[in-house]
């Protein structure tokens, strides 16, 4: 019997790399106010049907990378209960990139769906 679980794990790992950046930009584009990492992770858990569950710690490096690339801006604010929190918001460049990535995602998804329908 072939171990499909290890193949599935590798597939998820490779697939999630770009998707995490896309969904982080999308969440922050819809946000009415800047959000900190735990808020973002909680929202993704609630809407993602477990797709990214257990990957909360993986969000922080991606948030830092998006911030460093100018797609997000961040500010650290003190917290009444615990350490200071870093709040993120999407930048105008981030919105333009999100539009381009969304188009690329849709085209890719449609292509994959078309190919899979033939199997």
């Amino acid at each position: 019997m072939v171990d499909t679980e290890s193949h599935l794990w590798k597939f998820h790992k490779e697939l999630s790399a770009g998707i995490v950046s896309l969904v982080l930009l999308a969440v922050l584009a819809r946000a009415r106010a800047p959000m900190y990492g735990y808020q973002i992770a909680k929202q993704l858990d609630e809407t993602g049907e477990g797709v990214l569950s257990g990957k909360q710690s993986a969000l922080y490096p991606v948030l830092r990378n998006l911030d460093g690339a100018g797609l997000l801006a961040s500010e650290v604010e003190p917290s009444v209960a615990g350490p200071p929190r870093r709040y993120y918001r999407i930048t105008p460049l981030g919105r333009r990139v999100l539009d381009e990535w969304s188009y690329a995602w849709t085209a890719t998804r449609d292509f994959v769906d078309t190919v899979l329908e033939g199997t």
Side-chain angles (χ1 to χ4, degrees), residues 56-110:
Q56 179 180 339
S57 63
L59 299 180
Y60 294 100
V62 178
L63 286 167
R64 284 192 298 273
N65 288 342
L66 294 171
D67 190 14
L71 305 181
L72 300 179
S74 67
E75 293 180 14
V76 176
E77 294 186 13
S79 172
V80 292
R85 293 180 176 154
R86 181 170 298 275
Y87 285 82
Y88 295 91
R89 64 177 172 75
I90 192 167
T91 64
L93 174 60
R95 289 185 187 280
R96 291 193 305 272
V97 167
L98 174 59
D99 287 343
E100 292 175 13
W101 287 2
S102 296
Y103 176 80
W105 168 257
T106 301
T108 302
R109 182 200 61 212
D110 291 349

Side-chain angles (χ1 to χ4, degrees), residues 1-15:
M1 179 180 281
V2 176
D3 178 19
T4 60
E5 191 171 313
S6 65
H7 292 289
L8 180 61
W9 179 85
K10 184 178 183 224
F11 177 74
H12 275 283
K13 181 180 176 189
E14 292 171 356
L15 189 60

Side-chain angles (χ1 to χ4, degrees), residues 8 13 21-22 24 27 43 46 52 58 70 76-77 83 99 104 119:
L8 180 61
K13 181 180 176 189
S21 295
L22 176 63
L24 287 174
V27 164
Q43 184 171 347
E46 291 171 1
L52 295 176
V76 176
E77 294 186 13
D99 287 343
T119 60

